[in-house]
Amino acid sequence: MNIFFIIIGAIAVLVVSLIVYRSIKVNRQNRQLNEQRYERIKPLVDKLESNENLTPEEIRPYAEQLTTRETTFQLLTEHNKQSLFPEDLNNLVSGAASNLANWLEFPTELDACPDEMKHMERVTFDFDGKNNLVHYEVFKYRVNEPHWAAKDGWMLGVVGPFFDESNPYDFPAATFSRVSSTVDKVTPKEEAKWVHENIAMRR
């Protein structure tokens, strides 16, 4: 009997140790990612905080980059300079693409910004049977070798929910990608439905 309890105790210690290690590792990776994200936009932050005159041409490179687009819009809004943001990127799809790219970068998700991303379609649901509509923007994305997910080809990501009155860079509460959902296995509508029922409606 003592041996049984020793084995159970050893397994419990191992499980707890793995959980603690994973937590420490993920926290360290998140900290490193946040530092990298800050470094990407630091020149823009410095100029905004020193009240330097900025031109739309200076803003565009930050807005065009998926990983800095969303933050750039937020920074400009905070400094009341959102008029400098490129008009062609001031739309729901562009904002959603940046939000998905940032979400995928987390070490607990894809751990990388996609090498390629394309908008597929908007999927709409009547979520309460009273013609109150919610919208989800569905994207396909892929990564190149040597990333572990390169072999899966085009994967699906969903951003939302949005409403008819949503603004381009409103925060979507249910951005998600199962990563294993590839375009040859799941349709955009099926993936949006899964996210709506399993992520958005459970928050």
Side-chain angles (χ1 to χ4, degrees):
M1 185 64 73
N2 285 340
I3 293 175
F4 173 76
F5 285 119
I6 289 171
I7 292 172
I8 293 298
I11 292 172
V13 168
L14 179 62
V15 169
V16 170
S17 298
L18 287 172
I19 291 171
V20 170
Y21 169 75
R22 174 72 174 158
S23 177
I24 292 171
K25 183 180 179 183
V26 168
N27 285 337
R28 185 171 63 247
Q29 288 174 320
N30 281 340
R31 204 164 44 246
Q32 290 171 344
L33 176 59
N34 287 332
E35 289 170 2
Q36 289 171 7
R37 286 178 169 175
Y38 178 73
E39 285 302 314
R40 290 173 189 160
I41 58 166
K42 187 177 183 302
L44 179 58
V45 171
D46 290 343
K47 288 182 178 181
L48 286 168
E49 290 184 349
S50 62
N51 289 318
E52 284 187 40
N53 287 326
L54 287 164
T55 65
E57 290 71 31
E58 290 175 281
I59 299 299
R60 180 164 283 280
Y62 295 100
E64 288 180 340
Q65 180 66 37
L66 278 176
T67 53
T68 55
R69 179 184 299 160
E70 191 176 35
T71 308
T72 298
F73 185 87
Q74 292 164 353
L75 280 169
L76 291 173
T77 300
E78 287 170 12
H79 289 81
N80 203 27
K81 293 181 186 249
Q82 59 267 43
S83 61
L84 295 174
F85 194 83
E87 191 61 36
D88 59 307
L89 295 173
N90 193 2
N91 56 71
L92 209 59
V93 171
S94 294
S98 182
N99 185 269
L100 178 59
N102 285 316
W103 186 88
L104 288 167
E105 250 197 329
F106 275 102
T108 50
E109 309 309 335
L110 188 68
D111 196 20
C113 176
D115 291 297
E116 211 174 339
M117 183 187 293
K118 295 181 180 179
H119 183 249
M120 294 189 76
E121 63 180 89
R122 170 178 285 191
V123 177
T124 300
F125 299 110
D126 180 357
F127 75 93
D128 62 0
K130 298 178 182 177
N131 206 33
N132 289 313
L133 306 179
V134 290
H135 313 290
Y136 293 86
E137 303 297 345
V138 184
F139 297 84
K140 65 178 182 179
Y141 64 89
R142 58 182 296 279
V143 289
N144 297 330
E145 296 284 359
H147 194 282
W148 57 266
K151 66 184 186 308
D152 296 322
W154 289 101
M155 296 161 278
L156 293 173
V158 179
V159 185
F162 296 110
F163 305 90
D164 289 341
E165 64 275 13
S166 291
N167 293 313
Y169 287 84
D170 284 352
F171 178 75
T175 296
F176 201 79
S177 174
R178 291 188 285 179
V179 181
S180 60
S181 295
T182 56
V183 296
D184 58 337
K185 295 178 183 175
V186 185
T187 68
K189 187 166 186 178
E190 288 170 339
E191 191 67 2
K193 186 173 186 288
W194 189 93
V195 170
H196 177 66
E197 293 175 350
N198 294 278
I199 305 297
M201 297 303 286
R202 294 192 180 185
R203 290 186 182 273

